Amino acid sequence: MAAVKACNILITGANRGLGLETVKQLLKDSSQKQHIFATCRDPDGPKSEALRELAKKHPNVITIIRLDADDPDSIKESAKKVGSLLGNSGLNLLVNNAAKMGSGNIQTSSVEDMKNTFNTNVIGPLLIIREYFPYLQAAAKASGTPGMSCNKAAVINISSVGGSMTRMPPMYIQFPELPYCISKAGFNMLTVLAAEEFKADEILCMALHPGWVKTEMGGEKAPLESKESVEGMLRVIGSLTEKQHGGFLDYTGETIPW
């Protein structure tokens, strides 16, 4: 298994589900130099209790940061705080994991549902990437090595097969989640265009589908446990090179059609 050896890692939506499981698994292989910035909307709330407990046990590895993907001011403030803690070493790995589910079809999806889902799943990650770009750039320059990898500087966008225009239509009747699917398709385009912009700086950028997972968002009918999904995703992330730059893979490493 290719290990994720990135020194400075930031994960959004790290207080539950796949985000929390990612923090847990990174801790197992954590080196003394590794630091995890675990961000969430409400660090002091009841849904962040498990993350707070982890941070208490690993105070030298985990720093909890408030970051609400729906709030541009929160995103800016989080970047200032993280930047002050990073120093000159920069941010090696940004995992855009926070997301919002939106269900419904053309007849039932409200304007509010569409706006809220798009704000969290597209505009939020766009602003996060923008605010943290200088730190990714700094990490890429500081590495002194050619090529691309998650250990150098990378943006991993946790997307969904729901955003695939090839894969989703046959599943639409079973999963009528129009706001979510449209937002994830937009998120995928953000990934592709960010990858174009990041080429010159050798900052890797790609989209990763975690599978259908038993989480608060995925529901109890999902066939995949968080542990298995995250193990797979970390294996994929750790093995990425410039060959996967601008790509769309799932947690097993299979390429997904846009």
Side-chain angles (χ1 to χ4, degrees), residues 110-170:
S110 68
V111 172
E112 186 178 6
D113 283 343
M114 293 298 295
K115 285 181 176 178
N116 288 342
T117 310
F118 200 82
N119 282 341
T120 300
N121 296 354
V122 184
I123 296 175
L126 166 63
L127 296 179
I128 291 165
I129 291 170
R130 179 188 296 171
E131 292 298 327
Y132 283 91
F133 176 72
Y135 309 132
L136 292 160
Q137 207 173 25
K141 287 179 180 177
S143 75
T145 57
M148 296 181 181
S149 78
C150 70
N151 301 325
K152 179 178 178 179
V155 176
I156 306 298
N157 288 331
I158 305 301
S159 187
S160 168
V161 73
S164 168
M165 295 187 191
T166 303
R167 291 273 186 92
M168 187 57 202

Side-chain angles (χ1 to χ4, degrees), residues 15-16 20 40 42-52 216:
N15 62 314
R16 61 194 177 102
L20 182 63
C40 57
D42 183 11
D44 299 319
K47 289 187 177 181
S48 300
E49 185 176 353
L51 179 60
R52 290 195 299 269
E216 189 173 320

Side-chain angles (χ1 to χ4, degrees), residues 197-217:
E197 289 195 28
F198 292 171
K199 275 182 184 177
D201 291 289
E202 294 190 334
I203 299 170
L204 193 152
C205 183
M206 58 84 68
L208 189 56
H209 169 52
W212 183 15
V213 190
K214 282 181 184 173
T215 61
E216 189 173 320
M217 183 181 289

Side-chain angles (χ1 to χ4, degrees), residues 2 42 77-78 114 128 142 144-146 176 179 187 211 230 240 248:
D42 183 11
E77 285 303 311
S78 75
M114 293 298 295
I128 291 165
T145 57
F187 190 36
V230 172
L240 294 173
F248 188 13

Side-chain angles (χ1 to χ4, degrees), residues 9 11 22-30 34 36 234:
I9 301 169
I11 303 167
T22 301
V23 174
K24 288 178 179 177
Q25 291 197 25
L26 285 171
L27 284 170
K28 291 179 184 178
D29 300 317
S30 179
Q34 195 170 71
I36 302 168
L234 289 177

